[in-house]
């Protein structure tokens, strides 16, 4: 497929049907793969390989027996994020009542009969009682297995989330761009329906979408790169509609 081929844009306008969502989904999927790789390597991998293991190794063995938590020693254990120099959790099974400030911890306090959690610093602490009749142990081995499971599932989940958000963003982009194209088509008396205009705009934007994804993958943020991508949008949209303006059989209107 050559995006500089006039036949391509005429084929899109006159022979394709509908919104060409399959094409948009395919291009978005390619972009999402690259963005998922960048997100995983920059945001998730350091946590999985460095931060989380350091915190897990600070965790004592916790016995949960019929809604009561115990540790090998009835003392206060503090779990730190060494990179942020921040106390993330406190484990103290000698305490029955969870302190409102979580004992100075940022997110979690585990007591004898319940635990307190605060996901955001601005939120109030929520205390949750341990379930009666349940007995199990929480140790470092279990936490590392949970970390491995998280590592496996975070990649497909991130891909689906990134693709959903990117697809929505691309659709908004195309709607605005195609609206301008539709106005131009009417001004030049081009016998095109809105769906045809939308398809032309989509195909014309594919080179810019792909370049934008590659630039994001290599984390290039130079202003000239962004100007180049913007120029690609403009050039191919103008070129595509110029090719479609070539004479066709009178009376035909394409949706």
């Amino acid at each position: 497929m050559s995006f500089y081929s006039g036949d391509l844009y005429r084929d899109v306008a006159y022979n394709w049907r509908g919104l060409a969502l399959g094409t948009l989904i395919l291009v978005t999927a390619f972009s999402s793969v690259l963005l998922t790789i960048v997100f995983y390597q920059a945001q998730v991998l350091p946590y999985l390989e460095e931060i989380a293991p350091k915190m897990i190794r600070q965790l004592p063995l916790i016995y949960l027996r019929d809604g009561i938590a115990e540790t090998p020693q009835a003392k206060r254990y503090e779990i730190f994020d060494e990179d942020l120099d921040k106390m993330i959790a406190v484990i103290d099974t000698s305490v029955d009542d969870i302190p409102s400030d979580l004992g100075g911890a940022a997110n979690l306090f585990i007591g004898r009969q319940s635990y307190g959690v605060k996901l955001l610093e601005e939120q109030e602490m929520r205390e949750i009682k341990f379930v009666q009749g349940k007995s199990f142990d929480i140790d470092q081995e279990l936490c590392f297995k949970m970390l491995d499971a998280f590592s496996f599932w975070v990649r497909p989940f991130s891909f689906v989330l990134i693709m959903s958000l990117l697809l929505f963003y691309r659709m908004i982009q195309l709607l605005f761009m195609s609206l301008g194209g539709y106005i131009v088509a009417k001004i030049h008396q081009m016998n095109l329906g809105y769906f045809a205009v939308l398809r032309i705009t989509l195909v014309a934007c594919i080179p810019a979408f792909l370049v934008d994804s590659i630039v994001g993958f290599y984390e290039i943020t130079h202003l000239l790169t962004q100007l180049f991508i913007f120029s690609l949008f403009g050039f191919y949209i103008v070129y595509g509609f110029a090719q479609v303006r070539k004479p066709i059989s009178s009376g035909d209107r394409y949706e």
Side-chain angles (χ1 to χ4, degrees):
M1 180 186 289
S2 172
F3 293 98
Y4 197 68
S5 168
D7 292 337
L8 170 63
Y9 296 98
R10 288 187 289 273
D11 184 46
V12 169
Y14 304 147
N15 298 324
W16 290 21
R17 291 293 180 266
L19 297 175
L21 284 177
T23 302
L24 178 60
I25 291 172
L26 183 62
V27 174
T28 305
F30 172 79
S31 301
S32 299
V33 168
L34 297 182
L35 292 176
T36 301
I37 293 173
V38 171
F39 171 75
Y40 183 80
Q41 292 181 338
Q43 303 296 328
V44 180
L45 202 58
Y47 177 82
L48 294 176
E49 293 187 346
E50 300 177 15
I51 299 174
K54 288 179 182 178
M55 291 191 289
I56 290 175
R57 292 187 185 100
Q58 302 172 51
L59 186 72
L61 176 62
I62 303 174
Y63 308 95
L64 279 169
R65 299 290 184 270
D66 196 25
I68 301 297
E70 294 180 349
T71 52
Q73 299 181 49
K75 69 174 188 177
R76 177 185 172 99
Y77 297 86
E78 297 177 347
I79 312 298
F80 277 89
D81 183 337
E82 297 177 2
D83 293 330
L84 297 177
D85 192 23
K86 186 176 184 180
M87 185 165 59
I88 300 299
V90 171
I91 302 167
D92 190 348
T93 56
S94 66
V95 174
D96 288 324
D97 298 322
I98 305 298
S100 59
D101 64 348
L102 298 182
N107 303 102
L108 178 67
F109 188 103
I110 298 177
R112 184 170 180 269
Q113 302 180 59
S114 61
Y115 65 93
V117 63
K118 185 164 53 175
L119 299 179
L120 298 174
E121 293 183 2
E122 295 77 14
Q123 289 182 330
E124 293 184 358
M125 183 270 294
R126 292 181 56 194
E127 183 175 356
I128 302 172
K129 295 287 185 180
F130 292 124
V131 179
Q132 297 286 334
K134 296 290 184 180
S135 298
F136 58 92
D137 299 336
I138 300 174
D139 57 12
Q140 294 183 8
E141 183 181 358
L142 175 62
C143 291
F144 275 114
K145 288 180 180 179
M146 294 172 63
L147 187 65
D148 288 340
F150 175 81
S151 175
F152 176 81
W153 287 107
V154 70
R155 282 170 283 191
F157 178 80
S158 298
F159 171 76
V160 171
L161 179 61
I162 289 172
M163 182 170 174
S164 299
L165 294 174
L166 185 59
L167 185 60
F168 177 76
Y169 174 65
R170 294 302 191 207
M171 290 179 69
I172 296 298
Q173 277 185 306
L174 288 171
L175 286 173
F176 279 104
M177 291 181 182
S178 61
L179 183 60
Y182 187 72
I183 294 172
V184 171
K186 289 300 181 184
I187 292 174
H188 291 282
Q189 298 182 343
M190 299 169 66
N191 218 11
L192 296 172
Y194 182 67
F195 282 6
V197 171
L198 189 61
R199 292 194 301 269
I200 296 167
T201 305
L202 167 59
V203 173
C205 287
I206 288 177
F209 286 162
L210 296 179
V211 171
D212 186 40
S213 301
I214 295 171
V215 165
F217 178 75
Y218 288 104
E219 301 183 72
I220 302 172
T221 58
H222 199 282
L223 177 60
L224 290 178
T225 305
Q226 301 305 315
L227 290 175
F228 174 70
I229 293 171
F230 182 79
S231 299
L232 279 180
F233 276 119
F235 171 78
Y236 277 107
I237 289 174
V238 171
Y239 178 80
F241 279 99
Q243 294 303 305
V244 175
R245 285 185 63 189
K246 290 187 176 182
I248 59 174
S249 301
S250 60
D252 290 340
R253 186 175 189 273
Y254 298 90
E255 299 294 338

